[in-house]
Amino acid sequence: MVPVEKPTLLRVLDCLGALATLLLPLFLVHWRGIAEGCLDGPALVWWGWLVLCSLPRQAPVPAEATASLTQALLAIRFPVAAFGLAFWTLQDPRTRIWCRRLVIACVLYLGAQMLLQAVTGHNLFGNPRFGDGTLTGPYDKPRVSAPFALLGLPAALFVGALLGQRATRSWQKTLLTGVVLLPVLGLLVLAGQRMSLATFLLGTGVCAVVLPTLRRPALALLVASPALIGLLALVSPDAFGHLVTKTHNQLAHFASSPYGQIYNRAAVMIEAHPVMGLGDDAFRHYCRSEVFLKPGPSHFRPDGGGVAVCVQHTHNHVLEAATNSGFPGAVLFIAMIGSWWRVLGRTARRQVGLSAPEIAWRVGLFGAAVLHEWPLSSQSAFLNMPLGGIAFLLLGAGLAEAVRDLKADRPDVEETARGALTLSQRPRE
């Protein structure tokens, strides 16, 4: 079939979309405000319920309600970004390849900044380690570990498989994969951020379940982790204290820990508004309300920790969904995440007709999705930038692979689309 030439407007839009896609990894590492401009689009059921729950419920309308509704209306930009990447820009092979290269470049950049700060005490911009000994990477606060773990898993698996293509023996492929994964693990240990380290190991384990050739490297990482953490006590005692000692104390006295008190306050808010919650960003807007200063399920303090508990978000996506939009919103949120996991997991298991690096990339994207949305962990706000943007970038990359599979299995869909475009270009009589 003779290829149909696209109209000029479509070619321009394709170029702009590809450019926006390739800029995303860079702007999500720095200049996150520009990255948000690349994320925009249509609605999901979860978003619609969130908007409904964010509608003002009293007159005159308080400032908090206006802010909540505005944020809810704008929340759709993140899911649409993923769908735009999946169905549009990342269907172009060149854009897909360059996006993957830029993700790898971002991992190398973040890792280099972390290593520089660990060795010299400062990053490229002169920022020192954080006060508790943790690494900040290229930032002025310790927020580098989460994006590094999220981007690092698919990037490391892809590079390991790429290097392994030249190996002739299975043990050589295993060794190369382990050699690429180990620096990511080592830098996460050096960073001193416990949750990023734990979820990275979890994501690697999930990938190993899907990809049998990864099981020995994953087991090696698990064995190496205690040794690396032990070395951290010698290299950076402060970071070791944050990673190990503080974690032990918080788990042993969880109810009285900051996380326990935050979760307790969220439970009080959900109990008071179980059906429709309090609207988007509810914890930030209403945590200080006197009606919520109660003991809650933990019964730790009569005021539930007072206003000192009131941070910007609940540090857990499911609790965030429930405080924002009640139990129905939490159920819709879980269903949305579950559907993404299902699609990405099915795509990761498909190996026919794919090279080893392509398979590893798909598996890594699935592992990153599980890593980011694991419910039993402390998390940034769901739509927080840049981490939320990075998660949706990787989600879009994973969904793009699923769309490729759909087109391969349903060539009639592609032919129908081409036929419709041909008809639309015929001159009218």
Side-chain angles (χ1 to χ4, degrees):
M1 178 179 288
V2 179
V4 179
E5 184 178 355
K6 292 184 178 181
T8 302
L9 177 60
L10 287 181
R11 292 201 303 270
V12 171
L13 289 175
D14 283 345
C15 291
L16 291 176
L19 178 62
T21 299
L22 297 179
L23 289 176
L24 267 177
L26 306 179
F27 289 144
L28 288 169
V29 173
H30 284 300
W31 310 301
R32 55 190 179 188
I34 300 177
E36 293 207 43
C38 302
L39 307 177
D40 195 15
L44 295 171
V45 175
W46 163 80
W47 173 74
W49 179 256
L50 179 63
V51 171
L52 180 63
C53 294
S54 301
L55 292 174
R57 307 174 197 178
Q58 63 186 81
V61 178
E64 294 85 355
T66 302
S68 178
L69 178 60
T70 302
Q71 290 168 192
L73 289 171
L74 294 176
I76 192 58
R77 68 195 188 280
F78 283 83
V80 169
F83 300 148
L85 294 170
F87 289 94
W88 178 30
T89 60
L90 289 181
Q91 290 305 307
D92 175 62
R94 291 175 299 177
T95 305
R96 190 165 57 247
I97 290 171
W98 274 103
C99 182
R100 189 162 50 210
R101 289 173 178 172
L102 289 171
V103 166
I104 295 170
C106 287
V107 172
L108 293 174
Y109 168 73
L110 293 174
Q113 286 269 36
M114 294 165 71
L115 184 61
L116 177 67
Q117 192 176 52
V119 173
T120 67
H122 295 81
N123 62 18
L124 281 175
F125 309 115
N127 298 316
R129 285 176 177 265
F130 203 61
D132 57 6
T134 55
L135 298 180
T136 68
Y139 311 114
D140 58 354
K141 296 180 181 178
R143 62 182 187 185
V144 67
S145 294
F148 182 69
L150 191 59
L151 292 168
L153 181 58
L157 292 185
F158 176 79
V159 172
L162 194 63
L163 295 176
Q165 281 188 314
R166 300 182 179 181
T168 56
R169 299 178 182 274
S170 61
W171 68 266
Q172 293 174 328
K173 297 178 185 292
T174 298
L175 180 62
L176 287 170
T177 301
V179 165
V180 175
L181 283 169
L182 187 60
V184 179
L185 176 67
L187 286 171
L188 287 172
V189 171
L190 268 178
Q193 293 291 324
R194 52 193 178 273
M195 195 53 62
S196 300
L197 173 61
T199 52
F200 176 78
L201 290 172
L202 169 71
T204 305
V206 169
C207 293
V209 172
V210 179
L211 193 61
T213 56
L214 185 60
R215 290 171 186 171
R216 283 183 288 179
L219 181 60
L221 287 187
L222 186 62
V223 173
S225 296
L228 292 174
I229 293 172
L231 288 174
L232 184 65
L234 302 176
V235 176
S236 179
D238 290 339
F240 177 85
H242 188 275
L243 182 64
V244 178
T245 308
K246 188 175 181 179
T247 301
H248 176 268
N249 292 337
Q250 289 185 342
L251 291 176
H253 308 284
F254 182 75
S256 61
S257 71
Y259 292 109
Q261 294 182 57
I262 291 170
Y263 296 166
N264 181 76
R265 179 63 53 79
V268 172
M269 297 171 69
I270 295 167
E271 183 181 19
H273 297 270
V275 179
M276 297 191 69
L278 289 159
D280 195 34
D281 214 5
F283 199 83
R284 182 199 301 264
H285 293 316
Y286 302 108
C287 176
R288 291 175 172 81
S289 300
E290 291 187 7
V291 67
F292 300 132
L293 303 184
K294 298 179 179 179
S298 70
H299 298 289
F300 178 68
R301 290 175 57 179
D303 64 352
V307 296
V309 173
C310 298
V311 290
Q312 294 181 342
H313 52 84
T314 63
H315 287 75
N316 182 273
H317 291 169
V318 177
L319 282 179
E320 180 183 351
T323 55
N324 290 351
S325 48
F327 285 114
V331 171
L332 289 173
F333 177 82
I334 293 171
M336 178 179 67
I337 299 301
S339 67
W340 293 343
W341 284 6
R342 182 173 175 270
V343 172
L344 296 180
R346 183 175 63 238
T347 304
R349 291 193 298 271
R350 178 163 176 155
Q351 300 184 8
V352 178
L354 298 172
S355 66
E358 287 178 316
I359 295 171
W361 176 250
R362 289 179 168 209
V363 172
L365 292 173
F366 173 54
V370 176
L371 177 163
H372 183 65
E373 291 300 340
W374 188 249
L376 301 178
S377 63
S378 172
Q379 300 157 317
S380 296
F382 180 57
L383 301 181
N384 178 55
M385 289 292 286
L387 189 59
I390 290 173
F392 277 95
L393 166 66
L394 297 182
L395 172 64
L399 294 178
E401 299 296 325
V403 173
R404 290 178 62 200
D405 290 348
L406 180 63
K407 288 182 177 180
D409 295 338
R410 298 279 305 279
D412 56 303
V413 175
E414 192 77 15
E415 293 298 328
T416 301
R418 289 176 180 175
L421 181 60
T422 302
L423 289 173
S424 68
Q425 292 180 328
R426 289 181 178 176
R428 295 181 179 180
E429 297 181 1

